[in-house]
Amino acid sequence: MPHTSPTAPVPPGPVRRRPAPGLPAAGTALLGAAFAATATLVCALVAAGTTRPRLQNADERWLALMGGPHDGLPLAAATVLDWFGGPLGAVVPLALVAVLCVRRRWWSLLYFLTAYLGGSALVVQVVKYAVDRPRPAGPLVRVDHGSFPSGHAFGAALLVVLVGALFVTRARRPLWWSLGALFTTAMMWSRTWLHAHWLSDTVAGALAGFATGLLLWCAFAPLLGREASRHAVRRTESGSEEAAGPDHPVFRIRPRPPARRIHVNGRILKRGVSPYDTREPG
């Protein structure tokens, strides 16, 4: 039987890991500023009228299209979206906060909390009490004080930006932005379908939500970039450890080379023995 030497095992290739979300693309700050300027313009048009806002005619025409009948699938969809933007919908942001804590992404967590809590308190509530616009008559869901801007539309748009910035990779963001725009539009429709807001309330809320998320994303970009680099180093180190095994070059046990024998004056010396040593080898 012919003797076959065992072939050396091939070391495994690098461990593939999910790429981390990237930093904001060029033009993000400009886009956020454009959203903020448009939201400010809508706010000025609504607050400019002493007794009747300048956008009231367009709002009433849109509300007439939302007259009903309020039943069936449209009502079910609008009710689910109302639940998502209410107190019970806080389950989703809390779950995202938990994920960031588990991954120890502290700068991402600070960005998330600053945008979500600070934006809702400073942007939505302050503007609500400053404009003090009455809601449409006969809302189909429970509402609080002030119609302008829509907190549900603001929260939906802001959540789209936060998830896209912190959890979606750069390659998949175009698809995410498209789905997020559809989700925000559905939320805007549901608020007017339920007669909880005027159309301009939802437009201003969505624009303000997008602007808050994008501008704060740019503000936190240096810290998020540092955090991403640190986690990339950790992923590389952990990937090397996972790839290492009994067949990995780092842990492969190499056979000890045989001792070289040297013939000197008829004596056989092993490596490391002086040829001038006159002692007999033991």
Side-chain angles (χ1 to χ4, degrees):
M1 180 175 181
H3 176 71
T4 57
S5 59
T7 57
V10 179
V15 177
R16 290 188 177 183
R17 291 180 171 270
R18 182 180 180 183
L23 296 179
T28 302
L30 184 61
L31 182 62
F35 282 144
T38 309
T40 303
L41 177 61
V42 176
C43 181
L45 292 175
V46 171
T50 55
T51 57
R52 185 177 178 85
R54 295 183 178 180
L55 298 177
Q56 190 63 33
N57 291 334
D59 287 337
E60 289 179 352
R61 285 196 296 268
W62 176 262
L63 192 65
L65 299 176
M66 302 290 104
H70 293 89
D71 55 10
L73 183 59
L75 179 60
T79 304
V80 170
L81 291 172
D82 176 70
W83 168 85
F84 187 86
L88 294 178
V91 174
V92 176
L94 289 177
L96 298 178
V97 167
V99 171
L100 294 176
C101 291
V102 169
R103 295 182 179 178
R104 294 184 295 176
R105 295 172 57 183
W106 306 122
W107 289 122
S108 297
L109 178 63
L110 180 60
Y111 162 55
F112 188 94
L113 294 178
T114 301
Y116 200 82
L117 299 180
S120 177
L122 296 179
V123 177
V124 177
Q125 297 302 324
V126 170
V127 176
K128 273 182 179 289
Y129 282 92
V131 177
D132 194 22
R133 186 183 191 184
R135 292 181 181 268
L140 302 179
V141 291
R142 182 179 298 180
V143 294
D144 57 2
H145 170 78
S147 181
F148 186 91
S150 170
H152 282 66
F154 177 92
L158 179 60
L159 192 62
V160 167
V161 176
L162 293 178
V163 173
L166 299 178
F167 297 98
V168 182
T169 59
R170 186 185 298 274
R172 297 180 179 178
R173 278 185 186 148
L175 176 61
W176 173 255
W177 298 140
S178 301
L179 297 176
L182 291 176
F183 171 70
T184 306
T185 303
M187 181 66 75
M188 296 166 59
W189 163 82
S190 71
R191 302 311 290 166
T192 57
W193 177 265
L194 296 172
H195 290 199
H197 283 284
W198 305 102
L199 178 61
S200 56
D201 302 340
T202 62
V203 172
L207 291 174
F210 285 133
T212 301
L214 294 176
L215 293 178
L216 286 177
W217 188 13
C218 295
F220 277 86
L223 299 176
L224 297 176
R226 225 174 303 164
E227 178 186 73
S229 300
R230 187 165 57 249
H231 280 267
V233 173
R234 291 178 182 176
R235 285 194 301 270
T236 302
E237 293 175 351
S238 62
S240 300
E241 294 174 358
E242 291 179 4
D247 297 332
H248 195 273
V250 177
F251 292 97
R252 186 180 302 160
I253 300 176
R254 298 181 179 179
R256 184 176 180 179
R260 291 184 299 174
R261 297 178 180 270
I262 305 175
H263 296 265
V264 178
N265 296 329
R267 298 170 56 199
I268 300 177
L269 299 180
K270 295 182 179 180
R271 185 176 55 180
V273 179
S274 173
Y276 301 100
D277 190 356
T278 59
R279 292 176 299 175
E280 291 294 333

Short mmCIF file of all heavy atoms in Angstrom, two decimals, residues 38-69:
data_model
loop_
_atom_site.label_atom_id
_atom_site.label_comp_id
_atom_site.label_asym_id
_atom_site.label_seq_id
_atom_site.Cartn_x
_atom_site.Cartn_y
_atom_site.Cartn_z
N THR A 38 -38.72 74.42 5.74
CA THR A 38 -40.08 74.23 5.25
C THR A 38 -41.07 74.08 6.39
O THR A 38 -42.18 74.63 6.34
CB THR A 38 -40.13 72.99 4.34
OG1 THR A 38 -39.11 73.08 3.34
CG2 THR A 38 -41.49 72.87 3.66
N ALA A 39 -40.68 73.35 7.44
CA ALA A 39 -41.56 73.22 8.61
C ALA A 39 -41.78 74.57 9.27
O ALA A 39 -42.90 74.88 9.72
CB ALA A 39 -40.95 72.23 9.60
N THR A 40 -40.74 75.38 9.34
CA THR A 40 -40.88 76.72 9.91
C THR A 40 -41.82 77.58 9.08
O THR A 40 -42.62 78.36 9.61
CB THR A 40 -39.50 77.39 10.02
OG1 THR A 40 -38.63 76.55 10.80
CG2 THR A 40 -39.60 78.75 10.69
N LEU A 41 -41.74 77.45 7.75
CA LEU A 41 -42.64 78.22 6.88
C LEU A 41 -44.09 77.81 7.09
O LEU A 41 -44.98 78.67 7.18
CB LEU A 41 -42.23 77.99 5.42
CG LEU A 41 -43.11 78.66 4.35
CD1 LEU A 41 -43.10 80.17 4.52
CD2 LEU A 41 -42.66 78.26 2.96
N VAL A 42 -44.34 76.50 7.18
CA VAL A 42 -45.72 76.05 7.44
C VAL A 42 -46.20 76.55 8.79
O VAL A 42 -47.35 76.99 8.94
CB VAL A 42 -45.79 74.51 7.37
CG1 VAL A 42 -47.19 74.02 7.72
CG2 VAL A 42 -45.40 74.03 5.97
N CYS A 43 -45.32 76.53 9.78
CA CYS A 43 -45.69 77.04 11.11
C CYS A 43 -46.03 78.52 11.06
O CYS A 43 -47.00 78.97 11.68
CB CYS A 43 -44.55 76.78 12.08
SG CYS A 43 -44.87 77.34 13.77
N ALA A 44 -45.25 79.28 10.29
CA ALA A 44 -45.52 80.72 10.19
C ALA A 44 -46.85 80.98 9.49
O ALA A 44 -47.61 81.88 9.87
CB ALA A 44 -44.38 81.39 9.43
N LEU A 45 -47.18 80.19 8.46
CA LEU A 45 -48.45 80.38 7.76
C LEU A 45 -49.64 80.02 8.66
O LEU A 45 -50.70 80.67 8.57
CB LEU A 45 -48.48 79.52 6.49
CG LEU A 45 -47.50 79.94 5.38
CD1 LEU A 45 -47.55 78.94 4.23
CD2 LEU A 45 -47.83 81.35 4.89
N VAL A 46 -49.46 79.02 9.49
CA VAL A 46 -50.56 78.64 10.39
C VAL A 46 -50.73 79.65 11.50
O VAL A 46 -51.86 80.02 11.88
CB VAL A 46 -50.31 77.23 10.96
CG1 VAL A 46 -51.32 76.91 12.06
CG2 VAL A 46 -50.39 76.19 9.86
N ALA A 47 -49.62 80.12 12.05
CA ALA A 47 -49.70 81.05 13.18
C ALA A 47 -49.97 82.49 12.75
O ALA A 47 -50.30 83.33 13.60
CB ALA A 47 -48.41 80.99 13.98
N ALA A 48 -49.84 82.80 11.44
CA ALA A 48 -49.98 84.19 11.01
C ALA A 48 -51.41 84.67 11.09
O ALA A 48 -51.67 85.83 11.42
CB ALA A 48 -49.45 84.35 9.58
N GLY A 49 -52.38 83.80 10.80
CA GLY A 49 -53.77 84.23 10.81
C GLY A 49 -54.27 84.50 12.22
O GLY A 49 -54.07 83.69 13.12
N THR A 50 -54.87 85.64 12.41
CA THR A 50 -55.35 85.99 13.74
C THR A 50 -56.55 85.13 14.15
O THR A 50 -56.62 84.62 15.26
CB THR A 50 -55.74 87.47 13.77
OG1 THR A 50 -56.69 87.73 12.71
CG2 THR A 50 -54.50 88.34 13.58
N THR A 51 -57.51 84.99 13.25
CA THR A 51 -58.69 84.18 13.57
C THR A 51 -58.79 82.95 12.69
O THR A 51 -59.40 81.96 13.08
CB THR A 51 -59.97 85.02 13.37
OG1 THR A 51 -60.02 85.52 12.03
CG2 THR A 51 -59.98 86.19 14.35
N ARG A 52 -58.19 82.99 11.51
CA ARG A 52 -58.26 81.88 10.57
C ARG A 52 -56.92 81.70 9.89
O ARG A 52 -56.46 82.61 9.19
CB ARG A 52 -59.35 82.14 9.53
CG ARG A 52 -59.58 80.97 8.56
CD ARG A 52 -60.72 81.31 7.60
NE ARG A 52 -60.93 80.24 6.63
CZ ARG A 52 -61.69 79.17 6.86
NH1 ARG A 52 -62.28 79.03 8.03
NH2 ARG A 52 -61.85 78.25 5.92
N PRO A 53 -56.23 80.55 10.09
CA PRO A 53 -54.93 80.36 9.46
C PRO A 53 -55.03 80.42 7.94
O PRO A 53 -56.07 80.12 7.35
CB PRO A 53 -54.52 78.95 9.94
CG PRO A 53 -55.32 78.74 11.18
CD PRO A 53 -56.61 79.47 10.99
N ARG A 54 -53.95 80.82 7.32
CA ARG A 54 -53.94 80.97 5.87
C ARG A 54 -54.08 79.64 5.14
O ARG A 54 -54.49 79.61 3.99
CB ARG A 54 -52.64 81.66 5.44
CG ARG A 54 -52.52 83.09 5.97
CD ARG A 54 -51.26 83.75 5.45
NE ARG A 54 -51.18 85.13 5.92
CZ ARG A 54 -50.19 85.97 5.62
NH1 ARG A 54 -49.20 85.54 4.84
NH2 ARG A 54 -50.18 87.20 6.08
N LEU A 55 -53.73 78.55 5.80
CA LEU A 55 -53.84 77.23 5.18
C LEU A 55 -55.16 76.54 5.54
O LEU A 55 -55.35 75.37 5.19
CB LEU A 55 -52.68 76.34 5.62
CG LEU A 55 -51.27 76.82 5.22
CD1 LEU A 55 -50.21 75.88 5.78
CD2 LEU A 55 -51.15 76.92 3.70
N GLN A 56 -56.08 77.26 6.18
CA GLN A 56 -57.29 76.62 6.67
C GLN A 56 -58.19 76.13 5.53
O GLN A 56 -58.82 75.07 5.64
CB GLN A 56 -58.08 77.58 7.57
CG GLN A 56 -59.22 76.95 8.32
CD GLN A 56 -58.74 75.89 9.31
OE1 GLN A 56 -57.67 76.01 9.88
NE2 GLN A 56 -59.55 74.86 9.51
N ASN A 57 -58.25 76.88 4.43
CA ASN A 57 -59.11 76.45 3.32
C ASN A 57 -58.63 75.12 2.74
O ASN A 57 -59.44 74.21 2.49
CB ASN A 57 -59.12 77.53 2.23
CG ASN A 57 -59.84 78.79 2.67
OD1 ASN A 57 -60.72 78.74 3.54
ND2 ASN A 57 -59.46 79.92 2.10
N ALA A 58 -57.33 74.99 2.52
CA ALA A 58 -56.79 73.73 2.01
C ALA A 58 -57.00 72.60 3.02
O ALA A 58 -57.32 71.46 2.65
CB ALA A 58 -55.32 73.89 1.68
N ASP A 59 -56.84 72.90 4.31
CA ASP A 59 -57.04 71.88 5.35
C ASP A 59 -58.49 71.40 5.38
O ASP A 59 -58.76 70.19 5.53
CB ASP A 59 -56.65 72.44 6.71
CG ASP A 59 -55.14 72.57 6.87
OD1 ASP A 59 -54.42 71.85 6.15
OD2 ASP A 59 -54.69 73.38 7.71
N GLU A 60 -59.43 72.31 5.21
CA GLU A 60 -60.84 71.92 5.26
C GLU A 60 -61.23 71.11 4.02
O GLU A 60 -62.05 70.18 4.12
CB GLU A 60 -61.71 73.17 5.38
CG GLU A 60 -61.60 73.83 6.75
CD GLU A 60 -62.44 75.08 6.85
OE1 GLU A 60 -62.98 75.51 5.78
OE2 GLU A 60 -62.56 75.65 7.95
N ARG A 61 -60.66 71.45 2.87
CA ARG A 61 -60.96 70.66 1.68
C ARG A 61 -60.42 69.24 1.83
O ARG A 61 -61.07 68.27 1.43
CB ARG A 61 -60.36 71.34 0.44
CG ARG A 61 -61.13 72.57 -0.02
CD ARG A 61 -60.73 72.96 -1.44
NE ARG A 61 -59.32 73.37 -1.49
CZ ARG A 61 -58.91 74.63 -1.35
NH1 ARG A 61 -59.80 75.60 -1.12
NH2 ARG A 61 -57.64 74.93 -1.44
N TRP A 62 -59.23 69.11 2.39
CA TRP A 62 -58.68 67.76 2.60
C TRP A 62 -59.51 67.00 3.63
O TRP A 62 -59.76 65.80 3.46
CB TRP A 62 -57.23 67.85 3.05
CG TRP A 62 -56.63 66.52 3.38
CD1 TRP A 62 -56.50 65.95 4.61
CD2 TRP A 62 -56.15 65.55 2.45
NE1 TRP A 62 -55.95 64.71 4.53
CE2 TRP A 62 -55.71 64.43 3.20
CE3 TRP A 62 -56.02 65.53 1.06
CZ2 TRP A 62 -55.16 63.31 2.60
CZ3 TRP A 62 -55.47 64.40 0.47
CH2 TRP A 62 -55.05 63.31 1.24
N LEU A 63 -59.93 67.68 4.68
CA LEU A 63 -60.71 67.01 5.71
C LEU A 63 -62.05 66.53 5.16
O LEU A 63 -62.58 65.49 5.59
CB LEU A 63 -60.94 67.94 6.90
CG LEU A 63 -61.50 67.29 8.16
CD1 LEU A 63 -60.51 66.29 8.73
CD2 LEU A 63 -61.86 68.35 9.20
N ALA A 64 -62.60 67.25 4.18
CA ALA A 64 -63.84 66.81 3.57
C ALA A 64 -63.65 65.50 2.81
O ALA A 64 -64.57 64.67 2.76
CB ALA A 64 -64.37 67.90 2.63
N LEU A 65 -62.47 65.31 2.24
CA LEU A 65 -62.19 64.03 1.57
C LEU A 65 -62.06 62.89 2.56
O LEU A 65 -62.21 61.72 2.19
CB LEU A 65 -60.89 64.15 0.75
CG LEU A 65 -60.89 65.18 -0.38
CD1 LEU A 65 -59.52 65.25 -1.04
CD2 LEU A 65 -61.97 64.85 -1.41
N MET A 66 -61.75 63.19 3.80
CA MET A 66 -61.61 62.18 4.85
C MET A 66 -62.93 61.97 5.60
O MET A 66 -62.94 61.52 6.76
CB MET A 66 -60.53 62.61 5.85
CG MET A 66 -59.16 62.84 5.25
SD MET A 66 -58.34 61.31 4.69
CE MET A 66 -58.57 61.43 2.91
N GLY A 67 -64.05 62.28 4.94
CA GLY A 67 -65.34 62.23 5.63
C GLY A 67 -65.82 60.84 5.99
O GLY A 67 -66.62 60.66 6.89
N GLY A 68 -65.33 59.80 5.34
CA GLY A 68 -65.79 58.46 5.69
C GLY A 68 -66.32 57.68 4.49
O GLY A 68 -66.14 58.11 3.35
N PRO A 69 -66.99 56.56 4.72
CA PRO A 69 -67.36 56.02 6.04
C PRO A 69 -66.16 55.46 6.80
O PRO A 69 -65.26 54.88 6.19
CB PRO A 69 -68.35 54.90 5.71
CG PRO A 69 -67.94 54.45 4.33
CD PRO A 69 -67.45 55.68 3.62
#
